[in-house]
Amino acid sequence: MKNIDNKEEFLFGGATASYQCEGAWNEDGKAESMWDVYLHKNNYENGDVASDHYHRYKEDIRMMKEGGQNAYRFSIAWPRIIKNLEGEVNEAGIKHYIDVLDECHMQGIEPLVTLYHWDLPQYLEDIGGWLNPATADAFVHYAEVCYKAFDGKINLWTTFNEPKWFTHCGYMAGNYPPEHHNPQEYIQCCYNVMVAHAKAVDLFRKENIKGKIGIVMSTEPMYPIDDKPETLQAVRNADNYANNWVCDPACKGEFPKDMVEKIRSQGFDLSFVKKEDLDVIAKNRVDFLGCNYYGPVFVKANEEGDTCFVTNNSGTRFKGKVINRIKDWYEYTKNPDLPTTAWGTQTYPKGIYELLMNYWERYHTPLYITENGIGLYEDIAPDRIEDDQRIDYMDSHIKEIIHAKNDGVDVRGYFAWSPFDLYSWKNGCEKRYGLIGIDFENGCVRKPKKSYYWYKEAIEKEWK
């Protein structure tokens, strides 16, 4: 690797999500989340135990430190903090996260904390979830409780993780709760989420909370499959659908005008939009943008018919065709020259460089790579897990990040997804991303993989 300029500003760490790692789903006063109810009701593999991080956070943070990492991105579980619709605070939940934060500081680990990584309290889902503006108000109350409880312990806050995915999967693709397929609902949810984000940022600043606040986006750089005018328009449509409706309001203070006009021209109801909401969005731009990057997307004009989404939750066992298309908007396709993971994600390290350059030029907002990694089927029985594919993936992507930083992009950190194996939503525990293997069948024993030691050496090379 070429060494990083301005090393003192750069964070190397790992990222997790509360539902995917904590377990302890019904302990210490925690309310049920929508994922608890959904997975139990449908008898899917669940995160009741997950990585047992709730009980083993000290061990995990110590292993991060021993692995050379200087930062940890994690999320707070909303259902651990707020008990009910009345907004009653669960002090046991507050104490748990104070303990986690104190352990981070004791180990010299900088926390980057996300308020919402998809585990909506079920009591809010029962009143309509993100379709209901009351959920946005409840989020602001939850954020206020966290701001005041953890002020001074967190320098880097983010409101939401990947608004694109939990809204798209819940209300368009229908593969996540509440399993709807309704574009009108999707549009309203997206709006409510961005209003909640802006109001939470506004409150953060009015309360003079220490630190900086941003948002985390699943950034998918869009590439045209050819240079036809209709293809280039489809790329713009796909970029608006996947990325710009989050990043533009967060970083520029406004929704993309061409996207809004296209939605309106197609007859969707936008009567829920309020001037006072747009004013809050306009005045509350983020201090930084978190970018989750796994691979690129190749786009063509929509040719094959009506809107359709088919997802892959079973890796190489999936025998169908992954489909992502919206009638009159765009259609995803593949680049036959790029490798593809077992779950259908194409690998293109140069994309992370191009993403960073593009977002820096577009928004001129400090950036973090808040997630990057590769999911693999792995045998964790051996004492030494040889995950060379993960090492190659991380090495090639980190080189491109350093390249972007040294070319002038204000990128301030890299967080591997993930520091240890996690429950991967409906993919269960077979899809492993961790630098540390977890034996889910035998008491969640931790087993560092070859990549754990490689990452430590790579960090040391950059810093010394």
Side-chain angles (χ1 to χ4, degrees), residues 365-397:
T365 298
L367 303 166
Y368 291 84
I369 296 297
T370 37
E371 290 180 25
N372 177 245
I374 185 170
L376 303 171
Y377 289 113
E378 292 176 311
D379 178 9
I380 64 160
D383 291 335
R384 176 83 166 195
I385 303 160
E386 302 287 336
D387 57 339
D388 291 315
Q389 187 177 353
R390 178 170 293 108
I391 292 170
D392 291 343
Y393 179 96
M394 291 178 63
D395 181 56
S396 61
H397 285 77

PDB file of all heavy atoms in Angstrom, residues 365-397:
ATOM      1  N   THR A 365     -18.246  17.254   1.038  1.00  0.00           N
ATOM      2  CA  THR A 365     -18.532  16.910   2.427  1.00  0.00           C
ATOM      3  C   THR A 365     -17.571  15.808   2.861  1.00  0.00           C
ATOM      4  O   THR A 365     -17.319  14.880   2.090  1.00  0.00           O
ATOM      5  CB  THR A 365     -19.985  16.394   2.551  1.00  0.00           C
ATOM      6  OG1 THR A 365     -20.881  17.447   2.170  1.00  0.00           O
ATOM      7  CG2 THR A 365     -20.306  15.964   3.968  1.00  0.00           C
ATOM      8  N   PRO A 366     -16.977  15.880   4.053  1.00  0.00           N
ATOM      9  CA  PRO A 366     -16.089  14.800   4.508  1.00  0.00           C
ATOM     10  C   PRO A 366     -16.776  13.442   4.418  1.00  0.00           C
ATOM     11  O   PRO A 366     -17.970  13.314   4.682  1.00  0.00           O
ATOM     12  CB  PRO A 366     -15.788  15.187   5.959  1.00  0.00           C
ATOM     13  CG  PRO A 366     -15.929  16.678   5.986  1.00  0.00           C
ATOM     14  CD  PRO A 366     -17.048  16.985   5.036  1.00  0.00           C
ATOM     15  N   LEU A 367     -15.987  12.422   4.071  1.00  0.00           N
ATOM     16  CA  LEU A 367     -16.512  11.084   3.794  1.00  0.00           C
ATOM     17  C   LEU A 367     -15.835  10.034   4.660  1.00  0.00           C
ATOM     18  O   LEU A 367     -14.657  10.166   5.005  1.00  0.00           O
ATOM     19  CB  LEU A 367     -16.295  10.727   2.316  1.00  0.00           C
ATOM     20  CG  LEU A 367     -16.893  11.687   1.280  1.00  0.00           C
ATOM     21  CD1 LEU A 367     -16.323  11.396  -0.106  1.00  0.00           C
ATOM     22  CD2 LEU A 367     -18.409  11.586   1.269  1.00  0.00           C
ATOM     23  N   TYR A 368     -16.589   9.015   5.010  1.00  0.00           N
ATOM     24  CA  TYR A 368     -16.052   7.802   5.626  1.00  0.00           C
ATOM     25  C   TYR A 368     -16.555   6.613   4.817  1.00  0.00           C
ATOM     26  O   TYR A 368     -17.715   6.612   4.377  1.00  0.00           O
ATOM     27  CB  TYR A 368     -16.534   7.633   7.070  1.00  0.00           C
ATOM     28  CG  TYR A 368     -16.001   8.630   8.050  1.00  0.00           C
ATOM     29  CD1 TYR A 368     -16.614   9.873   8.205  1.00  0.00           C
ATOM     30  CD2 TYR A 368     -14.892   8.344   8.843  1.00  0.00           C
ATOM     31  CE1 TYR A 368     -16.128  10.805   9.109  1.00  0.00           C
ATOM     32  CE2 TYR A 368     -14.404   9.275   9.760  1.00  0.00           C
ATOM     33  CZ  TYR A 368     -15.021  10.499   9.887  1.00  0.00           C
ATOM     34  OH  TYR A 368     -14.543  11.419  10.791  1.00  0.00           O
ATOM     35  N   ILE A 369     -15.703   5.614   4.614  1.00  0.00           N
ATOM     36  CA  ILE A 369     -16.192   4.321   4.142  1.00  0.00           C
ATOM     37  C   ILE A 369     -16.643   3.569   5.386  1.00  0.00           C
ATOM     38  O   ILE A 369     -15.825   3.059   6.152  1.00  0.00           O
ATOM     39  CB  ILE A 369     -15.124   3.554   3.362  1.00  0.00           C
ATOM     40  CG1 ILE A 369     -14.757   4.311   2.084  1.00  0.00           C
ATOM     41  CG2 ILE A 369     -15.612   2.138   3.028  1.00  0.00           C
ATOM     42  CD1 ILE A 369     -15.895   4.478   1.082  1.00  0.00           C
ATOM     43  N   THR A 370     -17.941   3.558   5.605  1.00  0.00           N
ATOM     44  CA  THR A 370     -18.488   3.038   6.858  1.00  0.00           C
ATOM     45  C   THR A 370     -18.788   1.537   6.800  1.00  0.00           C
ATOM     46  O   THR A 370     -19.051   0.937   7.846  1.00  0.00           O
ATOM     47  CB  THR A 370     -19.756   3.815   7.234  1.00  0.00           C
ATOM     48  OG1 THR A 370     -20.498   4.139   6.043  1.00  0.00           O
ATOM     49  CG2 THR A 370     -19.404   5.108   7.946  1.00  0.00           C
ATOM     50  N   GLU A 371     -18.775   0.953   5.615  1.00  0.00           N
ATOM     51  CA  GLU A 371     -18.837  -0.507   5.463  1.00  0.00           C
ATOM     52  C   GLU A 371     -18.161  -0.891   4.161  1.00  0.00           C
ATOM     53  O   GLU A 371     -18.350  -0.231   3.135  1.00  0.00           O
ATOM     54  CB  GLU A 371     -20.277  -1.040   5.422  1.00  0.00           C
ATOM     55  CG  GLU A 371     -21.054  -0.972   6.707  1.00  0.00           C
ATOM     56  CD  GLU A 371     -22.470  -1.526   6.555  1.00  0.00           C
ATOM     57  OE1 GLU A 371     -22.695  -2.370   5.640  1.00  0.00           O
ATOM     58  OE2 GLU A 371     -23.340  -1.128   7.336  1.00  0.00           O
ATOM     59  N   ASN A 372     -17.407  -1.989   4.211  1.00  0.00           N
ATOM     60  CA  ASN A 372     -16.843  -2.595   3.015  1.00  0.00           C
ATOM     61  C   ASN A 372     -16.394  -4.002   3.374  1.00  0.00           C
ATOM     62  O   ASN A 372     -15.746  -4.203   4.398  1.00  0.00           O
ATOM     63  CB  ASN A 372     -15.653  -1.777   2.487  1.00  0.00           C
ATOM     64  CG  ASN A 372     -14.979  -2.404   1.282  1.00  0.00           C
ATOM     65  OD1 ASN A 372     -13.816  -2.817   1.358  1.00  0.00           O
ATOM     66  ND2 ASN A 372     -15.686  -2.485   0.179  1.00  0.00           N
ATOM     67  N   GLY A 373     -16.779  -4.970   2.581  1.00  0.00           N
ATOM     68  CA  GLY A 373     -16.390  -6.343   2.884  1.00  0.00           C
ATOM     69  C   GLY A 373     -17.002  -7.315   1.897  1.00  0.00           C
ATOM     70  O   GLY A 373     -17.701  -6.926   0.963  1.00  0.00           O
ATOM     71  N   ILE A 374     -16.762  -8.582   2.131  1.00  0.00           N
ATOM     72  CA  ILE A 374     -17.263  -9.624   1.236  1.00  0.00           C
ATOM     73  C   ILE A 374     -17.815 -10.778   2.064  1.00  0.00           C
ATOM     74  O   ILE A 374     -17.196 -11.221   3.038  1.00  0.00           O
ATOM     75  CB  ILE A 374     -16.156 -10.107   0.271  1.00  0.00           C
ATOM     76  CG1 ILE A 374     -16.724 -11.107  -0.741  1.00  0.00           C
ATOM     77  CG2 ILE A 374     -14.958 -10.665   1.016  1.00  0.00           C
ATOM     78  CD1 ILE A 374     -15.758 -11.435  -1.870  1.00  0.00           C
ATOM     79  N   GLY A 375     -19.000 -11.237   1.687  1.00  0.00           N
ATOM     80  CA  GLY A 375     -19.614 -12.373   2.350  1.00  0.00           C
ATOM     81  C   GLY A 375     -19.190 -13.679   1.703  1.00  0.00           C
ATOM     82  O   GLY A 375     -19.229 -13.817   0.479  1.00  0.00           O
ATOM     83  N   LEU A 376     -18.791 -14.636   2.536  1.00  0.00           N
ATOM     84  CA  LEU A 376     -18.292 -15.921   2.041  1.00  0.00           C
ATOM     85  C   LEU A 376     -18.919 -17.066   2.821  1.00  0.00           C
ATOM     86  O   LEU A 376     -19.251 -16.935   4.000  1.00  0.00           O
ATOM     87  CB  LEU A 376     -16.763 -15.998   2.200  1.00  0.00           C
ATOM     88  CG  LEU A 376     -15.920 -14.907   1.528  1.00  0.00           C
ATOM     89  CD1 LEU A 376     -14.473 -15.028   1.975  1.00  0.00           C
ATOM     90  CD2 LEU A 376     -16.034 -14.976   0.020  1.00  0.00           C
ATOM     91  N   TYR A 377     -19.054 -18.210   2.153  1.00  0.00           N
ATOM     92  CA  TYR A 377     -19.282 -19.462   2.874  1.00  0.00           C
ATOM     93  C   TYR A 377     -17.931 -19.906   3.429  1.00  0.00           C
ATOM     94  O   TYR A 377     -16.946 -19.986   2.686  1.00  0.00           O
ATOM     95  CB  TYR A 377     -19.808 -20.540   1.929  1.00  0.00           C
ATOM     96  CG  TYR A 377     -21.211 -20.339   1.443  1.00  0.00           C
ATOM     97  CD1 TYR A 377     -21.478 -20.064   0.112  1.00  0.00           C
ATOM     98  CD2 TYR A 377     -22.290 -20.453   2.314  1.00  0.00           C
ATOM     99  CE1 TYR A 377     -22.782 -19.896  -0.357  1.00  0.00           C
ATOM    100  CE2 TYR A 377     -23.600 -20.291   1.866  1.00  0.00           C
ATOM    101  CZ  TYR A 377     -23.829 -20.017   0.538  1.00  0.00           C
ATOM    102  OH  TYR A 377     -25.125 -19.858   0.090  1.00  0.00           O
ATOM    103  N   GLU A 378     -17.871 -20.180   4.730  1.00  0.00           N
ATOM    104  CA  GLU A 378     -16.581 -20.532   5.327  1.00  0.00           C
ATOM    105  C   GLU A 378     -16.723 -21.673   6.319  1.00  0.00           C
ATOM    106  O   GLU A 378     -17.713 -21.754   7.051  1.00  0.00           O
ATOM    107  CB  GLU A 378     -15.977 -19.315   6.051  1.00  0.00           C
ATOM    108  CG  GLU A 378     -15.565 -18.198   5.108  1.00  0.00           C
ATOM    109  CD  GLU A 378     -15.071 -16.965   5.854  1.00  0.00           C
ATOM    110  OE1 GLU A 378     -15.752 -16.511   6.790  1.00  0.00           O
ATOM    111  OE2 GLU A 378     -13.992 -16.474   5.483  1.00  0.00           O
ATOM    112  N   ASP A 379     -15.712 -22.518   6.354  1.00  0.00           N
ATOM    113  CA  ASP A 379     -15.596 -23.558   7.376  1.00  0.00           C
ATOM    114  C   ASP A 379     -14.760 -22.985   8.507  1.00  0.00           C
ATOM    115  O   ASP A 379     -13.567 -22.697   8.326  1.00  0.00           O
ATOM    116  CB  ASP A 379     -14.921 -24.799   6.775  1.00  0.00           C
ATOM    117  CG  ASP A 379     -14.719 -25.912   7.798  1.00  0.00           C
ATOM    118  OD1 ASP A 379     -15.255 -25.780   8.927  1.00  0.00           O
ATOM    119  OD2 ASP A 379     -14.018 -26.889   7.478  1.00  0.00           O
ATOM    120  N   ILE A 380     -15.375 -22.799   9.665  1.00  0.00           N
ATOM    121  CA  ILE A 380     -14.621 -22.197  10.770  1.00  0.00           C
ATOM    122  C   ILE A 380     -14.141 -23.255  11.762  1.00  0.00           C
ATOM    123  O   ILE A 380     -13.711 -22.918  12.863  1.00  0.00           O
ATOM    124  CB  ILE A 380     -15.426 -21.107  11.486  1.00  0.00           C
ATOM    125  CG1 ILE A 380     -16.669 -21.693  12.151  1.00  0.00           C
ATOM    126  CG2 ILE A 380     -15.790 -19.982  10.539  1.00  0.00           C
ATOM    127  CD1 ILE A 380     -17.206 -20.801  13.232  1.00  0.00           C
ATOM    128  N   ALA A 381     -14.192 -24.524  11.376  1.00  0.00           N
ATOM    129  CA  ALA A 381     -13.693 -25.581  12.257  1.00  0.00           C
ATOM    130  C   ALA A 381     -12.185 -25.510  12.465  1.00  0.00           C
ATOM    131  O   ALA A 381     -11.702 -25.731  13.586  1.00  0.00           O
ATOM    132  CB  ALA A 381     -14.094 -26.946  11.713  1.00  0.00           C
ATOM    133  N   PRO A 382     -11.385 -25.209  11.426  1.00  0.00           N
ATOM    134  CA  PRO A 382      -9.934 -25.164  11.648  1.00  0.00           C
ATOM    135  C   PRO A 382      -9.532 -24.079  12.638  1.00  0.00           C
ATOM    136  O   PRO A 382     -10.225 -23.071  12.802  1.00  0.00           O
ATOM    137  CB  PRO A 382      -9.375 -24.849  10.250  1.00  0.00           C
ATOM    138  CG  PRO A 382     -10.460 -25.213   9.303  1.00  0.00           C
ATOM    139  CD  PRO A 382     -11.739 -24.946  10.020  1.00  0.00           C
ATOM    140  N   ASP A 383      -8.412 -24.271  13.289  1.00  0.00           N
ATOM    141  CA  ASP A 383      -7.908 -23.251  14.204  1.00  0.00           C
ATOM    142  C   ASP A 383      -7.507 -21.984  13.461  1.00  0.00           C
ATOM    143  O   ASP A 383      -7.599 -20.884  13.996  1.00  0.00           O
ATOM    144  CB  ASP A 383      -6.705 -23.801  14.982  1.00  0.00           C
ATOM    145  CG  ASP A 383      -7.110 -24.879  15.970  1.00  0.00           C
ATOM    146  OD1 ASP A 383      -8.288 -24.863  16.397  1.00  0.00           O
ATOM    147  OD2 ASP A 383      -6.274 -25.736  16.296  1.00  0.00           O
ATOM    148  N   ARG A 384      -7.042 -22.165  12.223  1.00  0.00           N
ATOM    149  CA  ARG A 384      -6.635 -21.022  11.405  1.00  0.00           C
ATOM    150  C   ARG A 384      -7.508 -21.003  10.154  1.00  0.00           C
ATOM    151  O   ARG A 384      -7.451 -21.923   9.339  1.00  0.00           O
ATOM    152  CB  ARG A 384      -5.167 -21.145  11.017  1.00  0.00           C
ATOM    153  CG  ARG A 384      -4.662 -20.056  10.072  1.00  0.00           C
ATOM    154  CD  ARG A 384      -4.257 -18.779  10.792  1.00  0.00           C
ATOM    155  NE  ARG A 384      -3.492 -17.895   9.929  1.00  0.00           N
ATOM    156  CZ  ARG A 384      -2.777 -16.866  10.339  1.00  0.00           C
ATOM    157  NH1 ARG A 384      -2.731 -16.604  11.631  1.00  0.00           N
ATOM    158  NH2 ARG A 384      -2.105 -16.114   9.506  1.00  0.00           N
ATOM    159  N   ILE A 385      -8.355 -19.991  10.017  1.00  0.00           N
ATOM    160  CA  ILE A 385      -9.276 -19.890   8.897  1.00  0.00           C
ATOM    161  C   ILE A 385      -8.602 -19.101   7.787  1.00  0.00           C
ATOM    162  O   ILE A 385      -8.280 -17.926   7.958  1.00  0.00           O
ATOM    163  CB  ILE A 385     -10.585 -19.223   9.342  1.00  0.00           C
ATOM    164  CG1 ILE A 385     -11.209 -20.014  10.498  1.00  0.00           C
ATOM    165  CG2 ILE A 385     -11.560 -19.106   8.179  1.00  0.00           C
ATOM    166  CD1 ILE A 385     -12.206 -19.221  11.312  1.00  0.00           C
ATOM    167  N   GLU A 386      -8.373 -19.745   6.673  1.00  0.00           N
ATOM    168  CA  GLU A 386      -7.641 -19.142   5.553  1.00  0.00           C
ATOM    169  C   GLU A 386      -8.635 -18.440   4.623  1.00  0.00           C
ATOM    170  O   GLU A 386      -9.184 -19.052   3.701  1.00  0.00           O
ATOM    171  CB  GLU A 386      -6.867 -20.219   4.798  1.00  0.00           C
ATOM    172  CG  GLU A 386      -5.879 -20.998   5.646  1.00  0.00           C
ATOM    173  CD  GLU A 386      -4.638 -20.193   6.002  1.00  0.00           C
ATOM    174  OE1 GLU A 386      -4.316 -19.236   5.247  1.00  0.00           O
ATOM    175  OE2 GLU A 386      -3.999 -20.514   7.011  1.00  0.00           O
ATOM    176  N   ASP A 387      -8.850 -17.158   4.841  1.00  0.00           N
ATOM    177  CA  ASP A 387      -9.817 -16.403   4.028  1.00  0.00           C
ATOM    178  C   ASP A 387      -9.086 -15.440   3.085  1.00  0.00           C
ATOM    179  O   ASP A 387      -9.267 -14.218   3.144  1.00  0.00           O
ATOM    180  CB  ASP A 387     -10.828 -15.678   4.908  1.00  0.00           C
ATOM    181  CG  ASP A 387     -10.198 -14.734   5.927  1.00  0.00           C
ATOM    182  OD1 ASP A 387      -9.003 -14.902   6.242  1.00  0.00           O
ATOM    183  OD2 ASP A 387     -10.908 -13.826   6.411  1.00  0.00           O
ATOM    184  N   ASP A 388      -8.263 -16.005   2.222  1.00  0.00           N
ATOM    185  CA  ASP A 388      -7.467 -15.188   1.303  1.00  0.00           C
ATOM    186  C   ASP A 388      -8.335 -14.352   0.366  1.00  0.00           C
ATOM    187  O   ASP A 388      -7.929 -13.255  -0.039  1.00  0.00           O
ATOM    188  CB  ASP A 388      -6.531 -16.077   0.482  1.00  0.00           C
ATOM    189  CG  ASP A 388      -5.426 -16.687   1.327  1.00  0.00           C
ATOM    190  OD1 ASP A 388      -4.826 -15.952   2.125  1.00  0.00           O
ATOM    191  OD2 ASP A 388      -5.169 -17.897   1.197  1.00  0.00           O
ATOM    192  N   GLN A 389      -9.514 -14.850   0.023  1.00  0.00           N
ATOM    193  CA  GLN A 389     -10.398 -14.070  -0.853  1.00  0.00           C
ATOM    194  C   GLN A 389     -10.800 -12.765  -0.189  1.00  0.00           C
ATOM    195  O   GLN A 389     -10.885 -11.719  -0.830  1.00  0.00           O
ATOM    196  CB  GLN A 389     -11.629 -14.897  -1.226  1.00  0.00           C
ATOM    197  CG  GLN A 389     -12.517 -14.227  -2.265  1.00  0.00           C
ATOM    198  CD  GLN A 389     -13.693 -15.085  -2.696  1.00  0.00           C
ATOM    199  OE1 GLN A 389     -13.800 -16.255  -2.328  1.00  0.00           O
ATOM    200  NE2 GLN A 389     -14.598 -14.518  -3.474  1.00  0.00           N
ATOM    201  N   ARG A 390     -11.044 -12.809   1.121  1.00  0.00           N
ATOM    202  CA  ARG A 390     -11.393 -11.580   1.849  1.00  0.00           C
ATOM    203  C   ARG A 390     -10.188 -10.636   1.896  1.00  0.00           C
ATOM    204  O   ARG A 390     -10.347  -9.412   1.744  1.00  0.00           O
ATOM    205  CB  ARG A 390     -11.863 -11.926   3.265  1.00  0.00           C
ATOM    206  CG  ARG A 390     -12.199 -10.696   4.115  1.00  0.00           C
ATOM    207  CD  ARG A 390     -12.896 -11.064   5.424  1.00  0.00           C
ATOM    208  NE  ARG A 390     -14.220 -11.616   5.166  1.00  0.00           N
ATOM    209  CZ  ARG A 390     -14.542 -12.891   5.310  1.00  0.00           C
ATOM    210  NH1 ARG A 390     -13.619 -13.768   5.728  1.00  0.00           N
ATOM    211  NH2 ARG A 390     -15.756 -13.308   5.042  1.00  0.00           N
ATOM    212  N   ILE A 391      -9.019 -11.174   2.126  1.00  0.00           N
ATOM    213  CA  ILE A 391      -7.814 -10.341   2.160  1.00  0.00           C
ATOM    214  C   ILE A 391      -7.608  -9.645   0.821  1.00  0.00           C
ATOM    215  O   ILE A 391      -7.331  -8.433   0.764  1.00  0.00           O
ATOM    216  CB  ILE A 391      -6.581 -11.198   2.534  1.00  0.00           C
ATOM    217  CG1 ILE A 391      -6.696 -11.663   3.983  1.00  0.00           C
ATOM    218  CG2 ILE A 391      -5.293 -10.413   2.316  1.00  0.00           C
ATOM    219  CD1 ILE A 391      -5.665 -12.690   4.385  1.00  0.00           C
ATOM    220  N   ASP A 392      -7.738 -10.391  -0.265  1.00  0.00           N
ATOM    221  CA  ASP A 392      -7.574  -9.792  -1.596  1.00  0.00           C
ATOM    222  C   ASP A 392      -8.601  -8.688  -1.826  1.00  0.00           C
ATOM    223  O   ASP A 392      -8.280  -7.627  -2.382  1.00  0.00           O
ATOM    224  CB  ASP A 392      -7.705 -10.866  -2.674  1.00  0.00           C
ATOM    225  CG  ASP A 392      -6.544 -11.852  -2.672  1.00  0.00           C
ATOM    226  OD1 ASP A 392      -5.501 -11.531  -2.064  1.00  0.00           O
ATOM    227  OD2 ASP A 392      -6.687 -12.936  -3.269  1.00  0.00           O
ATOM    228  N   TYR A 393      -9.839  -8.958  -1.404  1.00  0.00           N
ATOM    229  CA  TYR A 393     -10.910  -7.964  -1.575  1.00  0.00           C
ATOM    230  C   TYR A 393     -10.593  -6.692  -0.786  1.00  0.00           C
ATOM    231  O   TYR A 393     -10.634  -5.579  -1.328  1.00  0.00           O
ATOM    232  CB  TYR A 393     -12.237  -8.566  -1.112  1.00  0.00           C
ATOM    233  CG  TYR A 393     -13.413  -7.621  -1.215  1.00  0.00           C
ATOM    234  CD1 TYR A 393     -14.252  -7.637  -2.322  1.00  0.00           C
ATOM    235  CD2 TYR A 393     -13.697  -6.709  -0.188  1.00  0.00           C
ATOM    236  CE1 TYR A 393     -15.338  -6.763  -2.417  1.00  0.00           C
ATOM    237  CE2 TYR A 393     -14.769  -5.843  -0.274  1.00  0.00           C
ATOM    238  CZ  TYR A 393     -15.589  -5.868  -1.390  1.00  0.00           C
ATOM    239  OH  TYR A 393     -16.645  -5.001  -1.481  1.00  0.00           O
ATOM    240  N   MET A 394     -10.274  -6.833   0.497  1.00  0.00           N
ATOM    241  CA  MET A 394     -10.008  -5.663   1.326  1.00  0.00           C
ATOM    242  C   MET A 394      -8.776  -4.912   0.856  1.00  0.00           C
ATOM    243  O   MET A 394      -8.769  -3.680   0.793  1.00  0.00           O
ATOM    244  CB  MET A 394      -9.855  -6.088   2.790  1.00  0.00           C
ATOM    245  CG  MET A 394     -11.137  -6.577   3.440  1.00  0.00           C
ATOM    246  SD  MET A 394     -10.886  -7.116   5.158  1.00  0.00           S
ATOM    247  CE  MET A 394     -10.372  -5.587   5.944  1.00  0.00           C
ATOM    248  N   ASP A 395      -7.731  -5.641   0.530  1.00  0.00           N
ATOM    249  CA  ASP A 395      -6.486  -5.017   0.089  1.00  0.00           C
ATOM    250  C   ASP A 395      -6.714  -4.148  -1.146  1.00  0.00           C
ATOM    251  O   ASP A 395      -6.275  -2.997  -1.206  1.00  0.00           O
ATOM    252  CB  ASP A 395      -5.442  -6.099  -0.200  1.00  0.00           C
ATOM    253  CG  ASP A 395      -4.114  -5.521  -0.650  1.00  0.00           C
ATOM    254  OD1 ASP A 395      -3.546  -4.688   0.079  1.00  0.00           O
ATOM    255  OD2 ASP A 395      -3.631  -5.895  -1.740  1.00  0.00           O
ATOM    256  N   SER A 396      -7.429  -4.689  -2.123  1.00  0.00           N
ATOM    257  CA  SER A 396      -7.650  -3.946  -3.365  1.00  0.00           C
ATOM    258  C   SER A 396      -8.519  -2.716  -3.139  1.00  0.00           C
ATOM    259  O   SER A 396      -8.304  -1.666  -3.762  1.00  0.00           O
ATOM    260  CB  SER A 396      -8.273  -4.861  -4.424  1.00  0.00           C
ATOM    261  OG  SER A 396      -9.524  -5.366  -3.996  1.00  0.00           O
ATOM    262  N   HIS A 397      -9.487  -2.809  -2.225  1.00  0.00           N
ATOM    263  CA  HIS A 397     -10.351  -1.667  -1.975  1.00  0.00           C
ATOM    264  C   HIS A 397      -9.668  -0.606  -1.111  1.00  0.00           C
ATOM    265  O   HIS A 397      -9.825   0.600  -1.360  1.00  0.00           O
ATOM    266  CB  HIS A 397     -11.664  -2.130  -1.315  1.00  0.00           C
ATOM    267  CG  HIS A 397     -12.592  -2.800  -2.274  1.00  0.00           C
ATOM    268  ND1 HIS A 397     -12.415  -4.097  -2.714  1.00  0.00           N
ATOM    269  CD2 HIS A 397     -13.713  -2.341  -2.909  1.00  0.00           C
ATOM    270  CE1 HIS A 397     -13.385  -4.412  -3.557  1.00  0.00           C
ATOM    271  NE2 HIS A 397     -14.178  -3.375  -3.685  1.00  0.00           N
TER     272      HIS A 397
END
